[in-house]
Amino acid sequence: MVHWTAEEKQLIASVWSKVNVEECGAEALGRLLIVYPWTQRFFASFGNLSSPTAIIGNPKVRAHGRKVLTSFGEAVKNLDNIKATYSKLSELHCEKLHVDPENFRLLGDILIIVLASHFARDFTPACQFAWQKLVNVVAHALARKYH
Amino acid sequence: MVLSAADKTNVKSIFSKIGSHADEYGAETLDRMFTAYPQTKTYFPHFDLHHGSAQIKAHGKKVVNALIEAVNHIDDISGALSKLSDLHAQKLRVDPVNFKLLGHCFLVVVAIHHPSVLTPEAHASLDKFLCAVGAVLTAKYR
């Protein structure tokens, strides 16, 4: 089980309380598809992904980004039980979606950069540490049921 | 990977906007890397790694100046960083995984101080550039 210090929990909760899940989610997924274009392989049904402008404006990308980040919120709410929280999603990503777990790490790092751009100096090094830990734990939990 | 003309333009533009803050951002990049990825401290047992230490400032300046050198010779990064590449291969032997960590923290710093400069396209270009620098510095490892 992951051990969170009181400070880490507080830093995570404090940032999360100010996150616009719809905006940040859309931005994170959009940037993932732009910065690492090979990740578009999972989204052939999303329509126009032909340029950064198309990606950022794509309603399916925005909707899915929101869905993904909303799910991330479950981790924030269940810091002491992230493994169980993502058990079914892990199976889904392996058996149905066939997503290489490396993509979870890529998205986690993109999310950190999006948070940094929104929170600026409030996203202190200690804050970044707590959030890097969180995205790692989430990525690990999502990969856990792979077989 | 190859940097396109657009990538090169984007990267040059980012660094020109960073301007005189470069040294400061170099230090902050290192500080964040040591905090977010404590294992990176193992390469600096001889340093005072407290926030704001003179050694972190000096080393941050060195690191960012190397990036600037690469930007100024963006058509021939391996030529520009050849000596640094030798140094990393023969003497420093920093595990290749760490260049990604440093690059990520530099992106975080740019995002914090210049969010409007780090458009998605610019973000992609800068990420590619930092990968290219890492690749050059580890090219002679084996």
Side-chain angles (χ1 to χ4, degrees), chain A residues 30-31 34-36 52-53 56 102 108-110 112-114 116-118 120-121 123-126 128-129 132 136, chain B residues 24 28 31-33 35-38 51 100 104-105 107-109 111-113 115 118-121 123-124 127-128:
Chain A
R31 281 181 186 257
I34 292 165
V35 178
Y36 308 113
T53 313
I56 293 291
E102 178 60 20
D109 276 349
I110 294 271
I112 299 277
I113 289 168
V114 169
S117 71
H118 284 263
R121 273 173 232 267
F123 198 65
T124 61
Q128 185 182 347
F129 176 84
Q132 297 284 174
N136 282 349
Chain B
E24 182 197 318
E28 189 179 343
D31 192 51
R32 281 182 180 270
M33 187 184 71
T35 308
Y37 307 106
H51 292 297
K100 269 198 209 171
H104 173 66
C105 289
L107 279 162
V108 168
V109 170
I112 284 173
H113 294 283
L118 205 68
T119 63
E121 295 92 326
H123 176 170
D127 191 279
K128 271 174 90 171

